[in-house]
Amino acid sequence: MYKIFLSALAVVCLSGFGKRSITSAPAPADTTITMAGVPLNPEDVSPLLTGENIPRAQLPDADGKLTDLHALVAKRPSILVFYRGGWCPYCNRQLSGLQEIEQDLNKMGYQLIAISTDSPENLRQTGEKQHLSYTLLSDADLALSKKFGIAYKSPENYDKFLPATSGGKNTNKLLPVPSVFIVNRKGNIRFEYINPDFRERLNPGLLKAAAAALMKEGLHE
């Protein structure tokens, strides 16, 4: 397990993207794990590391069509953004910021893929409301978030609506720690930003800088 601690200078170190963008320290040995095999606290998640490969997954898009994540990533270097759901104001602000830089990222050769606990129907509503042109995928049961090591047990005040917003699939009432992973076409993680404070998101300008630096160093391929 790792506790994630973020420093402003560690978020984007343009001279060393082969390294993790976060600083980690071991969690206490008595960290409590739920029956679903995830930590109780976002600070105790154990995410995949830079240099590791993303897991395989089949996820429905906003139309309910299953998408092979590895096949999608194989087409272009990708920026995977895990967010909580369209019900989260911090997520909506992040999604809007991503839309503003999507064309710039596309010109660099990247594609944006945002993944949340929302059902396909709720994904579609979010996409239409915010006029999003990038791909939205549903990880409603958080199976992929668990494989990425970013899932944790939600606080009790989320228990009533998480099953509903996920189309009944989030039975364990889990949430992902909001995260950003830049992966190459082989599915290898080249950069990551993970912050247990759901109110803090990677600034769009910093994301562009990270993506550009990876491209300059050839690490996006």
Side-chain angles (χ1 to χ4, degrees):
M1 292 291 179
Y2 290 85
K3 278 193 175 180
I4 312 302
F5 299 93
L6 228 59
S7 86
L9 294 177
V11 172
V12 178
C13 180
L14 299 182
S15 62
F17 279 103
K19 300 179 181 180
R20 295 189 71 182
S21 59
I22 55 178
T23 303
S24 303
D30 62 347
T31 296
T32 302
I33 303 298
T34 70
M35 291 295 289
V38 300
L40 288 172
N41 302 303
E43 295 84 1
D44 296 324
V45 296
S46 182
L48 294 178
L49 304 175
T50 300
E52 294 188 286
N53 293 325
I54 65 172
R56 294 188 175 276
Q58 296 269 346
L59 301 175
D61 62 16
D63 296 319
K65 181 181 178 181
L66 281 180
T67 299
D68 185 311
L69 184 60
H70 257 259
L72 184 59
V73 165
K75 295 178 180 179
R76 303 176 71 184
S78 303
I79 298 173
L80 307 181
V81 179
F82 285 83
Y83 69 101
R84 292 155 27 115
W87 44 266
C88 170
Y90 300 97
C91 297
N92 286 325
R93 190 178 306 139
Q94 179 185 29
L95 295 175
S96 178
L98 291 172
Q99 182 62 42
E100 292 177 2
I101 64 170
E102 189 205 11
Q103 287 190 3
D104 293 332
L105 295 173
N106 287 342
K107 289 177 182 177
M108 293 184 202
Y110 293 98
Q111 63 179 336
L112 263 176
I113 304 169
I115 303 168
S116 81
T117 65
D118 281 340
S119 66
E121 179 181 357
N122 286 325
L123 287 181
R124 185 171 62 254
Q125 291 178 6
T126 296
E128 292 175 352
K129 181 178 180 180
Q130 299 213 51
H131 307 289
L132 305 179
S133 57
Y134 49 86
T135 300
L136 300 179
L137 296 177
S138 172
D139 182 32
D141 60 1
L142 282 92
L144 182 61
S145 294
K146 287 194 285 186
K147 291 179 181 178
F148 266 86
I150 58 173
Y152 69 99
K153 180 66 177 72
S154 66
E156 290 185 2
N157 57 314
Y158 289 82
D159 286 357
K160 291 184 178 179
F161 72 89
L162 280 180
T165 58
S166 65
K169 292 190 174 182
N170 193 357
T171 55
N172 290 316
K173 301 164 187 174
L174 308 178
L175 284 171
V177 172
S179 308
V180 176
F181 297 89
I182 300 180
V183 303
N184 61 20
R185 288 184 293 181
K186 296 179 182 178
N188 188 261
I189 299 170
R190 307 311 303 162
F191 170 89
E192 63 185 41
Y193 174 96
I194 303 163
N195 194 329
D197 185 346
F198 66 85
R199 297 165 296 185
E200 298 292 334
R201 306 299 169 95
L202 181 60
N203 180 281
L206 292 179
L207 176 56
K208 276 179 57 176
L214 286 173
M215 174 169 285
K216 183 178 181 180
E217 295 184 15
L219 296 176
H220 68 299
E221 292 291 347

